[in-house]
Amino acid sequence: MPRVSDRYRDARREHILAAARRAFLRHGFHATSMQDLFTEAQLSSGAVYRYFPGKEDIVLAIAEDNMREVANLIRTVTEERPGESIGTVLAAAVELITAKNQDSGLAGIGVQAWSESLSNPRIGMAFGQMLSTLRAELAEVISRHQKTTALPAEPSAESLAGVMIGVLVGHLLQLALLGTDAVADTPAALKALWPPLPDQS
């Protein structure tokens, strides 16, 4: 029997997650059953369970993928354009979030998942870990700015990273509740709030 390639497994996993996003957006997390997910993905229960033991695992996978994309984008922007301002980095992140929302309803799913994390200890713990990882990524970016630009050393990089997370979460919430038009100017506003700082050199 031929071995299943990593590319096939990745494609099948993404197919299931895309189906889950559509179902969650249409019916909500609680009203969507595993049978609904099988139907949406047009796969057997065994095919889905091979990748995800249950609905919680699908929610966590979606959240992890989304946070990983944001963290990767922030890392890419800061590595390829190390002199960019915090505002530019945040603007790039919210632009990614907006584009992802148009493709997959990221904002609505995110709000549903946050709500679930308040009453589901497993999801709450996983979300806390993911947010801590993202905060550490952002703190590293800010720390580099503090060492190489005129960005003040106080408050701490960790505290400033918490503010940046607040901006990203607030952007998601507004996307979910108010729509894309309400946040169309957010990238420009972030660049205005955090313009480039003069080099210390």
Side-chain angles (χ1 to χ4, degrees), residues 76-92:
T76 298
V77 170
T78 55
E79 288 177 355
E80 293 182 354
R81 296 179 287 172
E84 293 289 6
S85 71
I86 296 297
T88 298
V89 173
L90 272 174

Side-chain angles (χ1 to χ4, degrees), residues 16-17 19-21 23-25 27-38 48-49 51-63 109 112-113 116 120 122-123 127:
I16 294 168
L17 292 180
R21 290 184 187 101
F24 291 154
L25 281 173
H27 304 299
F29 175 76
H30 283 290
T32 301
S33 66
M34 286 302 290
Q35 184 58 54
D36 292 330
L37 297 179
F38 306 151
V48 174
Y49 285 132
Y51 291 85
F52 302 102
K55 192 164 60 171
E56 287 181 1
D57 301 277
I58 293 174
V59 172
L60 291 174
I62 290 171
I109 292 171
Q112 289 186 56
E116 186 64 17
N120 184 313
R122 183 185 173 211
I123 291 179
F127 266 49

Side-chain angles (χ1 to χ4, degrees), residues 18-137:
R21 290 184 187 101
R22 294 193 300 270
F24 291 154
L25 281 173
R26 194 160 55 242
H27 304 299
F29 175 76
H30 283 290
T32 301
S33 66
M34 286 302 290
Q35 184 58 54
D36 292 330
L37 297 179
F38 306 151
T39 301
E40 185 70 30
Q42 297 183 327
L43 293 172
S44 68
S45 59
V48 174
Y49 285 132
R50 189 174 297 124
Y51 291 85
F52 302 102
K55 192 164 60 171
E56 287 181 1
D57 301 277
I58 293 174
V59 172
L60 291 174
I62 290 171
E64 287 169 356
D65 285 355
N66 291 337
M67 288 198 183
R68 189 181 305 113
E69 282 200 54
V70 172
N72 287 343
L73 175 120
I74 289 169
R75 191 182 305 111
T76 298
V77 170
T78 55
E79 288 177 355
E80 293 182 354
R81 296 179 287 172
E84 293 289 6
S85 71
I86 296 297
T88 298
V89 173
L90 272 174
V94 300
E95 286 169 348
L96 170 70
I97 289 170
T98 302
K100 287 282 292 180
N101 184 63
Q102 291 175 331
D103 289 342
S104 61
L106 165 65
I109 292 171
V111 171
Q112 289 186 56
W114 295 335
S115 176
E116 186 64 17
S117 72
L118 296 177
S119 58
N120 184 313
R122 183 185 173 211
I123 291 179
M125 182 177 295
F127 266 49
Q129 291 171 345
M130 284 185 269
L131 276 175
S132 294
T133 299
L134 181 58
R135 184 170 178 145
E137 294 268 358

